[in-house]
Amino acid sequence: RLHKIIGKGDLSVVSMHHQALDRVGSGWRVVGKAADRLVEALEHERHLWAVAVLWHPELALQDPNQQKLFKAFITEAGRKQA
């Protein structure tokens, strides 16, 4: 889902970790990792729009790729509302 939204394999993100995932919960799968192998993105296997990013898209709002993420979230929220 994230690849479909952003349309890239590699993505530059704002990521500041002092904690990291040790295990991924049931139903979630890792779909993005940083160069240091820390998990950066997850998607839920059953829920169509359950995604998690462990970077800070709100700190890079001028980045068109981060804008795509926010726009997709807003579009899906509007669809659920309707």
Side-chain angles (χ1 to χ4, degrees), residues 4-74:
K4 184 177 178 183
I5 292 166
I6 297 171
K8 295 184 109 178
D10 291 334
L11 182 64
S12 180
V13 299
V14 177
S15 180
M16 301 171 281
H17 293 288
H18 66 279
Q19 297 176 326
L21 288 177
D22 179 40
R23 291 170 292 204
V24 176
S26 177
W28 290 90
R29 65 179 173 199
V30 175
V31 296
K33 288 187 178 182
D36 61 6
R37 307 302 296 156
L38 288 178
V39 173
E40 291 285 356
L42 303 153
E43 294 177 350
H44 199 274
E45 295 171 352
R46 292 183 305 275
H47 300 289
L48 293 178
W49 222 99
V51 298
V53 296
L54 285 84
W55 69 79
H56 294 275
E58 76 282 3
L59 297 178
L61 292 176
Q62 300 306 314
D63 180 343
N65 293 308
Q66 306 309 319
Q67 291 176 7
K68 290 177 190 176
L69 183 59
F70 281 111
K71 287 177 184 176
F73 177 74
I74 292 165

